[in-house]
Amino acid sequence: MDVQNRGTLRGHGTIVGDVTSDGIVWSGGSMGTLTIRGNYTQSADGTLQLDVTPTQFSMLKVSGHASLAGTLDLIFAPGTYATSKFPLVQAGSLSGTFSTVTGTVPGSLDSQINYSATAAELVLMQESGTQGSATRGWVIPLDSSLFGNLMRSINLAGQQDMGSVLDVALMSHDVQCKADHAPAMQNVSSACGNGAWVQYTGSNISLDGANGLNSTTFGLLGGADYAVSDLVHVGLQAGVGQVNGSDKLGGNGRADNVHGGLYAYADAGPTVLSAVVDTMHSDYHFNRITGIGTATSAPGGHMLSAALQAAWPVQLAQWQLTPKVGVLYQQQTLDGFGEALNSTNPEASSFPVDGTRSRYTTLQPYAVMALEHSFVAHGVTYVPEVNLGYRYDTHNAVTPIVQVTAQDGTLFDLPSAAQGRGMGMASARITTQASASWSLYADYQGFFGSRLHDNALSVGFTKRF
């Protein structure tokens, strides 16, 4: 049998005859022994791929001569490993060695491949210089950042929605507001009556690094408010959205979100106060790469969000300058889950993990400076606006951490890709007002931090009654 380049021979059982490999021989697939009743020759382009768990391993048995070269690829299941020996290749006679050995060596242990006249074995041993008690090592699950990265992406999308709701109080309504309010607060909704608004947002979120995630998000958000007095509005807001992410290892995930809550804003003299409370339910779908296949899980999740903002619109001739300060709070929960790995191999169950209920909380004070200038062209009022801002996460856990248990009982804390606490923000918006009761707007927002950037584009419609 000739395993050609880019070809794969995978499984366990017995092959009668000689095998020559320029491709991949995956013995066991995932656990078990592949027996060759003949000779085995692996070229410099070939790869022998074997699976190892804390208690079991796959191997290659050759009744004749085994000639080794090329690559040995070891796929370790997550868990705790003790110092031990794993026979990988057994043959009637053996020559040659693997030029390259790849795989995740259990932390705090050293590994080497020992060769004899009839066998090649993996040896896990203490790291040199360590004390006698350092006889165990750990292998974390592959693609381990997927869970936290998708949580973090939902967290960022939620911040975009909260910012949109908070700024409802500052949407341009000067053409319909009472004349006594317009000169001092051109851009504030005071005394403008009841209203409704809706916006669609699409964004791209990148969590950088080798363990990062690239996500696209889509969301529809809307609300309606009622003027309980000339100065105070209260309203309901709701939205739906989806986050789709993929990483460099080939893992991916999706979250379908639905949320809703209350918001209010008030004209308190020179200050415009706004607040929002929101609760979200998420249905997650994870597809994590394990090294021997894709492990799937579908937990639920929840997020409680709240935000407060104070703004001071100041009219400077034809320009309006609006400093804003506020704070965003989010408490995010990922429910417990168990992974499933579809495989006909009985020992493939060593590679999935079970997740426990995990929580991620952020508290972010922020400051923003907005500048706008309105003009009229062909009877339509245009209001371009730019914003620059900064927010800072005050909580110790800057990124989500999801706790999972390997099949041998080992607990792992799996963080998302590392990011900094601070994040800059820049945005640009253009609003058009063609009548006294409705307006359209398009908005770009960019968020930039250490190993993080988020670009969002929104279009929206507002209607006053």
Side-chain angles (χ1 to χ4, degrees):
M1 177 180 291
D2 184 13
V3 182
Q4 297 183 353
N5 191 13
R6 297 186 180 181
T8 299
L9 170 62
R10 177 179 179 180
H12 55 272
T14 300
I15 296 175
V16 179
D18 296 341
V19 175
T20 301
S21 175
D22 296 307
I24 296 174
V25 173
W26 190 348
S27 177
S30 83
M31 291 293 161
T33 299
L34 177 64
T35 300
I36 298 174
R37 292 183 180 176
N39 299 318
Y40 175 72
T41 303
Q42 181 170 306
S43 74
D45 295 327
T47 297
L48 176 62
Q49 190 163 288
L50 300 173
D51 307 316
V52 184
T53 79
T55 58
Q56 301 180 78
F57 54 92
S58 59
M59 66 181 301
L60 177 67
K61 283 187 176 181
V62 181
S63 64
H65 180 74
S67 176
L68 304 181
T71 299
L72 172 64
D73 184 15
L74 299 175
I75 301 176
F76 289 89
T80 302
Y81 289 77
T83 55
S84 55
K85 296 180 180 181
F86 299 88
L88 303 178
V89 180
Q90 292 182 346
S93 61
L94 185 146
S95 64
T97 61
F98 298 108
S99 59
T100 303
V101 179
T102 61
T104 304
V105 177
S108 78
L109 295 179
D110 280 338
S111 70
Q112 69 180 37
I113 305 298
N114 288 344
Y115 300 91
S116 69
T118 59
E121 65 178 6
L122 166 68
V123 180
L124 298 180
M125 69 196 81
Q126 293 176 257
E127 289 182 332
S128 61
T130 60
Q131 300 299 316
S133 59
T135 59
R136 293 183 180 274
W138 297 266
V139 172
I140 66 172
L142 191 64
D143 204 10
S144 60
S145 297
L146 177 64
F147 307 114
N149 283 341
L150 192 59
M151 289 181 67
R152 179 63 167 140
S153 298
I154 294 172
N155 174 272
L156 292 168
Q159 292 177 24
Q160 295 172 3
D161 285 347
M162 283 197 295
S164 296
V165 177
L166 289 172
D167 283 344
V168 168
L170 300 174
M171 288 184 179
S172 299
H173 300 308
D174 58 295
V175 294
Q176 73 229 51
C177 290
K178 291 183 179 179
D180 57 344
H181 288 271
M185 307 193 107
Q186 176 182 349
N187 206 34
V188 180
S189 301
S190 304
C192 293
N194 307 325
W197 52 274
V198 63
Q199 75 172 33
Y200 174 82
T201 300
S203 69
N204 180 270
I205 300 172
S206 294
L207 307 179
D208 297 332
N211 63 337
L213 188 79
N214 289 320
S215 300
T216 56
T217 73
F218 308 93
L220 186 66
L221 178 66
D225 53 75
Y226 175 76
V228 297
S229 71
D230 282 350
L231 303 179
V232 179
H233 289 233
V234 296
L236 298 173
Q237 56 84 21
V240 295
Q242 186 178 91
V243 179
N244 296 279
S246 60
D247 59 34
K248 295 180 179 178
L249 292 177
N252 62 83
R254 186 184 85 245
D256 300 306
N257 309 307
V258 57
H259 64 96
L262 303 173
Y263 69 98
Y265 55 92
D267 176 4
T271 305
V272 180
L273 303 176
S274 53
V276 59
V277 177
D278 182 88
T279 181
M280 174 186 289
H281 173 77
S282 300
D283 290 320
Y284 288 86
H285 302 272
F286 295 109
N287 298 295
R288 183 179 65 86
I289 299 301
T290 66
I292 67 166
T294 301
T296 61
S297 58
H302 308 273
M303 184 163 65
L304 176 65
S305 305
L308 296 171
Q309 178 175 280
W312 294 267
V314 178
Q315 200 68 34
L316 301 174
Q318 298 299 314
W319 297 87
Q320 181 169 284
L321 186 68
T322 306
K324 297 181 282 187
V325 295
V327 61
L328 305 174
Y329 171 81
Q330 293 168 295
Q331 186 181 83
Q332 194 172 1
T333 302
L334 178 68
D335 295 338
F337 61 91
E339 288 186 319
L341 179 59
N342 293 326
S343 174
T344 58
N345 299 283
E347 302 302 330
S349 59
S350 298
F351 286 79
V353 298
D354 297 318
T356 60
R357 186 179 177 89
S358 303
R359 180 169 292 174
Y360 173 53
T361 302
T362 62
L363 182 66
Q364 298 183 334
Y366 66 89
V368 178
M369 185 66 72
L371 180 66
E372 69 173 53
H373 172 65
S374 63
F375 64 91
V376 179
H378 304 290
V380 178
T381 300
Y382 296 89
V383 185
E385 175 185 340
V386 294
N387 289 263
L388 295 174
Y390 183 79
R391 60 182 59 168
Y392 184 84
D393 193 349
T394 61
H395 269 247
N396 292 330
V398 180
T399 61
I401 298 176
V402 177
Q403 188 176 79
V404 303
T405 304
Q407 297 305 310
D408 71 341
T410 306
L411 292 175
F412 293 100
D413 289 333
L414 307 181
S416 71
Q419 295 131 41
R421 294 181 179 273
M423 184 164 57
M425 185 272 285
S427 69
R429 169 180 289 201
I430 180 71
T431 303
T432 63
Q433 298 173 314
S435 76
S437 63
W438 64 269
S439 62
L440 299 171
Y441 63 88
D443 180 272
Y444 163 80
Q445 293 186 63
F447 296 92
F448 311 95
S450 175
R451 299 184 178 179
L452 179 154
H453 55 277
D454 177 9
N455 297 283
L457 181 63
S458 303
V459 291
F461 170 83
T462 65
K463 174 70 175 179
R464 309 307 299 184
F465 304 99

